Amino acid sequence: MGRIFDWIDSRFGVKAPHSRFLQRPLSERINYLYCLGGVAFVLFLCLVVSGALLTIYYVPSQDEAFQSIVRITREVRLGWFIRGVHKWSANLLIIFIILHTLRVILYKAYQPPRELNWVVGVCTLVVAFASGFTGYLLPWDQKAYWATEVGTSMAGTIPYIGKYLLYLLRGGTEVDGSTLIRFYSFHILWLPVTMALLLWAHFHMVKRQGISGGL
Ligand code: HEM
């Protein structure tokens, strides 16, 4: 394995630029709670891979979305498994982001110079919730429809901007095929790309500032 990696590295050159970061000494007060962010990142990667596989069979149209989900679950080889991985990773991601946030609060790691990383972190949380909300509509069953109907109606009650926001979210006045396409686009493209950029900034700052030293 080592020889194969060395062969790739001699052509690709990944070892040297990263070894300084990977071999950096850490504070002795670091403990397992510092792994929560890393677990959240692994879950994000699982979501990207399983989601990319689901797009092969999922059809984002109001006539076919529900049937395509039934097909993925019952007929496509390992489709039920990939769907399960996607669902579990999504739920666990939210749990682990919240636990990671609690660790940051407990250790007061939001204080300068890490305040901007806290703000970027809050944005990842918002994007994660938005991804969950948009993904929930995609099975296009009764539960999905009514959850979106209620969720978007709530946005519609915001004073002054609510009416416009409702229209923007639904792509019209009702939850219909336009809403499905809109949510699909956000779920598989805009939100994951935004999340990837936010995580790049998040890790860049962790790398620059080092990890905070514990309680
Ligand atoms: C998908 C979402 C997120 C991922 C994958 C992620 C990942 C990470 C990782 C791997 C670290 C390094 C150390 C550790 O794990 O504790 C870290 C540090 C940090 N994260 Fe996150 N994070 C996410 C969301 C958040 C959120 C929601 C907040 C706060 C609202 C946040 C605030 C911070 C701060 C302030 C640090 C520096 C901590 C220190 O130096 O002790 N992160 N994050």
Side-chain angles (χ1 to χ4, degrees):
M1 223 25 214
R3 287 219 341 249
I4 296 172
F5 182 74
D6 285 345
W7 181 84
I8 296 172
D9 190 52
S10 66
R11 277 136 191 97
F12 209 67
V14 279
K15 223 176 185 175
H18 291 91
S19 61
R20 210 157 40 98
F21 173 58
L22 293 174
Q23 287 161 15
R24 183 179 299 196
L26 292 173
S27 160
E28 278 177 9
R29 286 183 293 173
I30 272 181
N31 55 47
Y32 279 110
L33 294 179
Y34 283 79
C35 297
L36 295 169
V39 174
F41 182 58
V42 171
L43 289 166
F44 173 67
L45 295 181
C46 290
L47 279 168
V48 172
V49 174
S50 56
L53 291 172
L54 288 173
T55 62
I56 297 172
Y57 286 97
Y58 178 74
V59 185
S61 97
Q62 63 177 340
D63 297 328
E64 291 175 66
F66 177 73
Q67 267 314 317
S68 70
I69 289 282
V70 172
R71 203 170 144 229
I72 289 171
T73 316
R74 298 202 185 143
E75 291 169 29
V76 175
R77 190 182 295 261
L78 290 180
W80 60 272
F81 176 72
I82 301 296
R83 218 185 139 203
V85 168
H86 199 70
K87 229 174 175 173
W88 274 95
S89 305
N91 289 325
L92 288 172
L93 178 69
I94 300 289
I95 293 172
F96 273 90
I97 296 182
I98 291 171
L99 291 176
H100 170 59
T101 308
L102 291 177
R103 197 285 286 167
V104 170
I105 294 173
L106 183 70
Y107 285 71
K108 295 193 174 71
Y110 49 77
Q111 288 175 342
R114 297 183 179 81
E115 70 277 47
L116 181 60
N117 215 5
W118 167 266
V119 174
V120 170
V122 172
C123 295
T124 65
L125 192 58
V126 172
V127 172
F129 281 134
S131 303
F133 183 58
T134 49
Y136 205 77
L137 180 66
L138 302 186
W140 202 236
D141 53 12
Q142 287 290 324
K143 206 164 63 161
Y145 178 87
W146 291 108
T148 307
E149 172 76 31
V150 173
T152 49
S153 300
M154 280 162 73
T157 60
I158 299 174
Y160 305 114
I161 58 160
K163 207 171 64 181
Y164 305 102
L165 192 61
L166 183 81
Y167 198 87
L168 195 77
L169 284 172
R170 291 184 179 174
T173 48
E174 308 291 330
V175 174
D176 57 18
S178 315
T179 323
L180 182 64
I181 299 272
R182 201 159 278 223
F183 274 39
Y184 179 70
S185 163
F186 272 92
H187 189 74
I188 71 147
L189 180 69
W190 297 105
L191 292 170
V193 168
T194 309
M195 182 64 115
L197 291 174
L198 288 170
L199 288 179
W200 173 81
H202 201 57
F203 296 151
H204 180 72
M205 280 186 270
V206 170
K207 209 166 137 180
R208 265 193 82 109
Q209 294 151 0
I211 202 78
S212 64
L215 284 173

